[in-house]
Amino acid sequence: MEQLTLTPIDAVRGTINLPGSKSLSNRALLLAALAEGETHLTNLLDSDDIRHMLNALSELGVAYRLSGDKTECWVQGNAGAFNVAQTKTLFLGNAGTAVRPLCAALAASQGAFTLTGEPRMEERPLAPLIEALRQAGASIECHKAAGFVPLTIKGQRLQGGEIEVDGSLSSQFLTALLMAAPLFSGDVTLVIRGELVSKPYIDITLDTMAKFGVGVDNHDYQRFDIKGGQTYRSPGDFLVEGDASSASYFLAAAAIKGGPVKVTGIGKQSIQGDIHFADALEAMGAKVVWGDDYIEVIGQGLHGIDMDMNHIPDAAMTIATTALFAKGPTRLRNIYTWRLKETDRIAAMATELTKVGANVEEGEDYIQIIPPAQLQHAEIDTYNDHRMAMCFSLVALGDTPVTINDPGCTAKTFPDYFMRLASVSHTN
Ligand SMILES: O=C(O)C1=C[C@@H](OP(=O)(O)O)[C@@H](O)[C@H](O)C1
Ligand SMILES: C=C(OP(=O)(O)O)C(=O)O
């Protein structure tokens, strides 16, 4: 297995032009494929999760052209649902933003589609989405375990009506239904059961749908009304914002070491909830400067925080390793869904933070971290989870090295992460 040992970093300073947002890239690609007209996407993310979406669209007969560096894409829209004659098998890796939205869009298309993924994807929940789609008449057969991929969808025009969806395990089920609903024959009302998690991702979905000409009536995130029988319309150009979750590692590094570090491609107007990671850093004592197209952090002596992190589940992981450098305990609450992502992130985080010397308390839906007096050099297991690799790179900001096992797992969302980190790292 590949390993990377990072030697202690004495200072971080500079500017990072962020790669495009994963969440926006995959939403915009799918809606561009369903839309009438050509869409020109810029600042598209080039990473495994996006490649899986692009490969799937090719299989589905969507014509697109990528620029040499794969950050620009011209998509010829299909002007409606997909229509294929033969059964298509789509391998979607471990990309939640491909599996869930495609599952719904294909249930409302013409043809037969088998969705498969990496072993971890076969453990990540899909049952609430399958149940909701079946209420609309969808035909979905799971091949191994009920409620998981691999599965086969027999696409058909789905009827509208009132559909209940459980929102308590992932917001991606609701995102998938929202994006597919205009393809249904009749009007659709989506009613949320349970407490909706990761709410800001629904704002990303609604904003992207609006850019492709489809409005949704949002009744306080409890109920959503969408007109059936609509066709998305290409906005022409679509600029993908920088990835706010990817920004978190650089902003945290500045908070820990002083910085300043500026990330560009996101700013105070950004639609991604993860920009509010900067508020968490501010609560820990960092200074944050908000621009229209940048966020800059200047560090000060950090102290621990006790915060509900349900609104920023991905970036919240970065607070867990930032906590190693704060005075006093940090408690991250309402993070049960960490257990359902690339790995069981609460368990993985607790194990690896303990290895570097922290005193960690793990609960069903929280983690508490008491930083050690002195960080220890450890080999960090990353569990095929890009964010574990990126979060633990911050340990090198102490005065001990850190060894990251399988650093290549950052390819899911940020293939050149370690090079970018090196570009703002300085040693005396
Ligand atoms: O819709 C999206 O783009 C995402 C939603 C979140 O998932 P959950 O809603 O499952 O928490 C987030 O963790 C994921 O990385 C991306
Ligand atoms: C949870 C994540 O990914 P996914 O889109 O596969 O859910 C993530 O990127 O942290």
Side-chain angles (χ1 to χ4, degrees):
M1 183 198 37
E2 207 193 323
Q3 287 190 321
L4 175 69
T5 296
L6 299 171
T7 53
I9 300 165
D10 296 318
V12 287
R13 265 189 314 273
T15 300
I16 296 284
N17 299 319
L18 293 167
S21 149
K22 169 196 76 171
S23 296
L24 280 159
S25 293
N26 271 353
R27 282 168 173 75
L29 280 170
L30 178 58
L31 296 191
L34 295 170
E36 196 178 322
E38 184 186 78
T39 306
H40 175 208
L41 296 132
T42 48
N43 199 37
L44 191 70
L45 176 61
D46 174 22
S47 80
D48 285 355
D49 278 11
I50 309 314
R51 190 168 43 81
H52 291 306
M53 176 62 90
L54 282 167
N55 289 346
L57 294 179
S58 269
E59 278 294 306
L60 295 168
V62 177
Y64 61 80
R65 184 166 65 81
L66 280 168
S67 62
D69 68 357
K70 301 194 181 141
T71 65
E72 265 185 278
C73 190
W74 292 261
V75 182
Q76 300 299 328
N78 207 46
F82 303 108
N83 190 339
V84 299
Q86 285 150 357
T87 303
K88 295 289 179 187
T89 297
L90 309 176
F91 174 76
L92 300 172
N94 193 9
T97 56
V99 171
R100 276 85 178 239
L102 278 169
C103 183
L106 294 173
S109 292
Q110 300 301 313
F113 315 93
T114 296
L115 304 189
T116 68
E118 286 175 16
R120 176 59 181 173
M121 199 67 232
E122 296 185 358
E123 298 172 350
R124 297 182 64 191
L126 213 53
L129 177 59
I130 295 172
E131 274 169 28
L133 289 167
R134 283 183 179 148
Q135 289 170 50
S139 157
I140 300 172
E141 189 201 339
C142 298
H143 299 300
K144 286 192 181 165
F148 297 92
V149 289
L151 53 78
T152 297
I153 301 164
K154 296 239 160 47
Q156 61 199 291
R157 194 90 205 254
L158 297 179
Q159 68 231 18
E162 188 167 297
I163 300 171
E164 283 193 11
V165 57
D166 185 328
S168 66
L169 299 182
S170 170
S171 68
Q172 291 179 358
F173 309 136
L174 174 58
T175 279
L177 292 161
L178 285 165
M179 291 203 289
L183 311 175
F184 291 20
S185 56
D187 296 350
V188 180
T189 295
L190 299 171
V191 180
I192 309 305
R193 258 195 283 121
E195 187 71 27
L196 177 61
V197 295
S198 303
K199 246 189 219 163
Y201 287 95
I202 298 306
D203 296 329
I204 301 181
T205 303
L206 298 180
D207 190 70
T208 311
M209 288 173 69
K211 291 203 165 94
F212 282 86
V214 169
V216 175
D217 279 339
N218 172 2
H219 303 276
D220 202 22
Y221 300 90
Q222 290 296 306
R223 187 190 153 102
F224 298 83
D225 295 316
I226 310 102
K227 285 227 159 313
Q230 297 193 72
T231 306
Y232 285 107
R233 284 190 316 275
S234 167
D237 292 315
F238 189 102
L239 169 65
V240 177
E241 284 181 5
D243 194 302
S245 320
S246 298
S248 69
Y249 313 105
F250 305 103
L251 298 180
I256 294 164
K257 286 309 256 192
V261 172
K262 190 185 258 190
V263 294
T264 67
I266 54 173
K268 56 183 177 220
Q269 288 346 322
S270 294
I271 189 69
Q272 296 165 77
D274 270 8
I275 59 168
H276 296 294
F277 171 79
D279 300 336
L281 286 182
E282 195 169 61
M284 294 179 87
K287 181 166 182 274
V288 181
V289 183
W290 293 86
D292 286 334
D293 192 45
Y294 71 86
I295 301 176
E296 185 176 51
V297 167
I298 301 157
Q300 283 160 6
L302 300 181
H303 52 81
I305 49 169
D306 178 337
M307 213 179 245
D308 183 325
M309 291 289 177
N310 197 272
H311 61 305
I312 55 167
D314 295 357
M317 286 178 76
T318 313
I319 296 290
T321 48
T322 305
L324 293 169
F325 301 91
K327 197 158 171 279
T330 288
R331 197 178 178 92
L332 308 179
R333 288 181 283 107
N334 204 2
I335 53 166
Y336 171 74
T337 62
W338 278 24
R339 297 194 183 276
L340 308 173
K341 299 186 189 271
E342 280 74 338
T343 184
D344 176 340
R345 287 175 164 172
I346 298 185
M349 199 43 100
T351 304
E352 303 309 311
L353 285 170
T354 305
K355 282 188 191 169
V356 297
N359 183 333
V360 182
E361 185 185 315
E362 175 192 340
E364 188 61 4
D365 68 347
Y366 74 88
I367 191 166
Q368 175 170 288
I369 303 125
I370 299 176
Q374 174 65 50
L375 285 167
Q376 293 158 23
H377 180 195
E379 263 188 32
I380 302 300
D381 288 315
T382 49
Y383 309 82
N384 207 13
D385 182 349
H386 54 140
R387 298 202 193 282
M388 285 296 289
M390 296 189 281
C391 285
F392 276 88
S393 67
L394 299 182
V395 174
L397 300 169
D399 44 21
T400 42
V402 61
T403 300
I404 307 286
N405 288 338
D406 187 23
C409 69
T410 68
K412 186 175 192 284
T413 56
F414 205 160
D416 63 350
Y417 171 73
F418 287 102
M419 268 167 54
R420 298 292 207 98
L421 178 65
S423 76
V424 290
S425 300
H426 302 269
T427 42
N428 293 331

